[in-house]
Amino acid sequence: RSGPQINVITTLPAAVIILYMAAHFHSALDPCDAVFGLLFPAYLLLANKFRFDNNSAAIQAGIPYESIFRGYETEAWLQCYIAFAALIGVIIPLIIVFTTPTTETANAAAPHVILLLEQIFLEHFTNREKYHMLIRALNPIGFSVYRQIMLFRWVEQSISMPTQSLPKTMAIINFIFWGCNLFGFLLLRMLPLYLDPLAFPESKIFVKIDAGNSTREKKE
């Protein structure tokens, strides 16, 4: 079973925009933002390889591949939710970044857009059978936790600048929406779906370690 493949139509434009914005707005990025944007994806990829053995346990057990939403993506409410998130989180902020006459306004919005696009890119990149479901779930959760800092910074900078009302409004809307998305949707609705050890079995690496520990405890 090869499972789903990378959606080039979705990931390639996101990668191009990320690279362009990172190069064009590098001065607006806090050093911590850049470090997180590099190390967190690396952590997820390494964890999938060495902690979950590229999801080999589920693959060998013949457990059917599931999308990150586990079938809920066909429901109308979730489709509307995702469309609204894309509109306020990516589309309108990108318009603001590339059309605003003030550099300060663009610099305030750009860092959050860059990391959100990186999160979306990684979601599509890991949407394959070889990636454990918990790794795919940790991607939006980890990015969302860190982006709360960036959203607060965006709101703070927007309010302090004599900019137009739209950039300020979008900063506030994003701060509220992504906070609710993190503490409501991701942590309370989505994450519990991925804590089932039968649907997402332990990797053989840690099964062997646990078996060895149990044997030693019995001998003692």
Side-chain angles (χ1 to χ4, degrees):
R1 303 179 305 154
S2 60
Q5 302 300 313
I6 297 176
N7 188 339
V8 178
I9 297 176
T10 304
T11 55
L12 185 58
V16 172
I17 295 174
I18 292 168
L19 292 174
Y20 174 80
M21 292 189 66
H24 192 72
F25 296 100
H26 65 276
S27 60
L29 280 171
D30 187 277
C32 292
D33 300 342
V35 170
F36 178 85
L38 292 173
L39 294 186
F40 184 65
Y43 161 76
L44 293 180
L45 298 179
L46 291 173
N48 185 70
K49 169 65 177 177
F50 296 105
R51 174 63 176 84
F52 296 106
D53 195 25
N54 291 330
N55 204 26
S56 61
I59 295 173
Q60 293 173 8
I63 297 176
Y65 169 85
E66 290 187 281
S67 71
I68 192 170
F69 295 115
R70 301 193 70 181
Y72 288 101
E73 65 273 11
T74 59
E75 297 190 6
W77 73 267
L78 185 57
Q79 293 177 351
C80 293
Y81 185 85
I82 294 173
F84 180 73
L87 178 65
I88 67 164
V90 177
I91 298 174
I92 297 179
L94 277 177
I95 294 174
I96 293 174
V97 167
F98 289 112
T99 62
T100 182
T102 59
T103 304
E104 292 80 6
T105 301
N107 287 344
H112 175 262
V113 178
I114 293 173
L115 254 68
L116 179 55
L117 284 171
E118 186 178 4
Q119 172 189 321
I120 295 171
F121 172 84
L122 205 59
E123 286 174 2
H124 288 279
F125 183 82
T126 58
N127 186 33
R128 290 180 286 165
E129 193 176 40
K130 66 177 289 187
Y131 289 95
H132 194 278
M133 184 63 85
L134 187 59
I135 293 297
R136 287 190 277 151
L138 286 176
N139 173 55
I141 292 174
F143 270 102
S144 295
V145 169
Y146 186 84
R147 286 193 293 105
Q148 296 305 304
I149 303 172
M150 307 178 76
L151 285 164
F152 180 80
R153 194 190 311 150
W154 183 11
V155 171
E156 189 177 41
Q157 292 175 356
S158 297
I159 292 177
S160 64
M161 292 185 298
T163 59
Q164 299 175 346
S165 59
L166 179 60
K168 293 181 180 180
T169 302
M170 290 312 303
I172 295 172
I173 290 176
N174 272 272
F175 180 76
I176 296 173
F177 174 82
W178 294 111
C180 294
N181 178 72
L182 170 62
F183 294 105
F185 180 74
L186 293 180
L187 295 180
L188 299 183
R189 185 175 179 87
M190 191 185 82
L191 183 60
L193 297 176
Y194 312 128
L195 301 180
D196 181 0
L198 297 179
F200 312 110
E202 182 66 278
S203 69
K204 289 186 177 180
I205 297 174
F206 278 79
V207 169
K208 292 178 181 178
I209 293 175
D210 292 338
N213 290 337
S214 299
T215 302
R216 285 193 296 272
E217 289 176 1
K218 289 180 181 179
K219 290 181 178 179
E220 292 174 357

